[in-house]
Amino acid sequence: MTQTKLAVFGDPIHQSLSPRIHIEFARQFALDIDYQKVLTPAGTLAEALSIFSSAGGMGANITAPLKQEAFALIPQLSPCARTAGTLNTLKWDPSTQQWFGENTDGQGFLQYLQKYTSIDIAPARVLLLGAGGAARALIDVLEKNVSQPLTVVNRDLEKAQDLKKYPRLELLSYVALNQQIHQTRFDIIINATSSSLHQQLPPLDNAWLKNSIVIDLAYAHGLSTPFMEWALSHHAKSVDDGLGMLVEQAALSFALWFDRMPDSKPVYQQLRSRE
């Protein structure tokens, strides 16, 4: 049986659970895969992908901070990836000798909500922190699945001006948002920044956290992320990390590579039980 070469590219990358997840998916179909972590600083993705494809790489996942960099490099894109302006999954196309880009983050987030939570996102008032690669995929699906206007807050508004293409999206700086602390609360707060990966907190007024459902897209290997701990200490209704979304977006990536949808729940439960 031919071994399929896969990899995840990012920086940092040591914390990635993607190899474990995809190896478990492959076992469900008796597939032989080699899935590696590739430390790839920003600005070096093109070279890393060239080396990988030359070595027989067939599929790749892209993580922070490279999702928008990947989007700029890949000419063949799915409609979802093109709309979001970011991608997290690549598949090598032998016929064109090029990578095909997809984004499974948004749909993976919705599947996470449906499978592992009782959250009804449709009527919720949602605050999304960040406007980078992970956030942009979520913006696209939230705009389509939430009835309330979506609020996005980012440190650098200039880098997020293109998000004004979404008519129901309110784009704010942290300063502007925190000045509205007396106004209507948010039902759900999603941290799509990389702050937890660097053991930091975004400059969000902690009063927003009270009675909100808080989701940090980071995952801390069995520990609460700094953002989750902070939210709990300021009376969040509940907190969760990004493991469910990670597994679900991975399942969609796997289906793109192998045209087979794995059973994601046992893998999620296995990872949770090993924490």
Side-chain angles (χ1 to χ4, degrees), residues 125-141:
R125 188 164 183 260
V126 179
L127 170 64
L128 181 65
L129 309 183
R136 286 167 182 266
L138 264 61
I139 288 169
D140 197 49
V141 299

Side-chain angles (χ1 to χ4, degrees), residues 127-131 151-158 160-161 164 169-181 186 202-205 208:
L127 170 64
L128 181 65
L129 309 183
T151 300
V152 176
V153 61
N154 198 51
R155 289 178 186 267
D156 190 339
L157 291 185
E158 287 188 11
Q161 288 303 307
K164 291 182 177 179
L169 184 149
E170 181 182 27
L171 179 63
L172 297 172
S173 67
Y174 282 97
V175 172
L177 176 73
N178 290 336
Q179 289 173 344
Q180 301 177 18
I181 193 64
F186 292 101
L204 179 71
D205 192 304
W208 287 114

Side-chain angles (χ1 to χ4, degrees), residues 75-76 91-100:
Q76 294 189 80
K91 181 178 181 179
W92 184 251
D93 185 343
S95 65
T96 63
Q97 292 292 291
Q98 289 184 325
W99 290 105
F100 171 77

Side-chain angles (χ1 to χ4, degrees), residues 57-261:
M58 173 277 225
N61 290 125
I62 308 295
T63 189
L66 305 173
K67 294 183 178 184
Q68 288 171 270
E69 183 175 334
F71 177 81
L73 290 173
I74 306 303
Q76 294 189 80
L77 297 168
S78 73
C80 177
R82 193 175 300 280
T83 300
T86 176
L87 56 85
N88 74 329
T89 303
L90 300 176
K91 181 178 181 179
W92 184 251
D93 185 343
S95 65
T96 63
Q97 292 292 291
Q98 289 184 325
W99 290 105
F100 171 77
E102 177 60 279
N103 195 306
T104 65
D105 280 333
Q107 188 59 37
F109 181 75
L110 290 182
Q111 291 184 185
Y112 144 72
L113 292 179
Q114 294 163 359
K115 289 186 179 182
Y116 310 113
T117 80
S118 58
I119 297 171
D120 181 9
I121 201 165
R125 188 164 183 260
V126 179
L127 170 64
L128 181 65
L129 309 183
R136 286 167 182 266
L138 264 61
I139 288 169
D140 197 49
V141 299
L142 289 171
E143 273 281 299
K144 296 173 182 174
N145 289 276
V146 176
S147 60
Q148 299 289 329
L150 172 66
T151 300
V152 176
V153 61
N154 198 51
R155 289 178 186 267
D156 190 339
L157 291 185
E158 287 188 11
K159 291 183 178 180
Q161 288 303 307
D162 61 309
L163 295 180
K164 291 182 177 179
K165 67 183 180 182
Y166 295 102
R168 296 192 303 117
L169 184 149
E170 181 182 27
L171 179 63
L172 297 172
S173 67
Y174 282 97
V175 172
L177 176 73
N178 290 336
Q179 289 173 344
Q180 301 177 18
I181 193 64
H182 63 284
Q183 297 186 14
T184 306
R185 318 305 300 169
F186 292 101
D187 303 301
I188 301 172
I189 298 175
I190 304 168
N191 181 22
T193 74
S194 61
S195 60
S196 288
L197 294 178
H198 303 288
Q199 301 300 303
Q200 298 172 349
L201 294 172
L204 179 71
D205 192 304
N206 57 43
W208 287 114
L209 301 166
K210 187 176 181 180
N211 296 324
S212 294
I213 295 170
V214 170
I215 302 170
D216 192 348
L217 299 190
Y219 174 65
H221 293 275
L223 304 172
S224 293
T225 67
F227 188 77
M228 292 165 63
E229 292 177 359
W230 181 50
L232 282 175
S233 70
H234 289 91
H235 311 292
K237 181 185 295 185
S238 66
V239 297
D240 200 5
D241 64 15
L243 182 62
M245 175 181 166
L246 177 67
V247 173
E248 292 305 314
Q249 64 81 23
L252 294 166
S253 295
F254 188 93
L256 176 67
W257 297 329
F258 297 105
D259 199 28
R260 308 179 194 188
M261 179 61 73

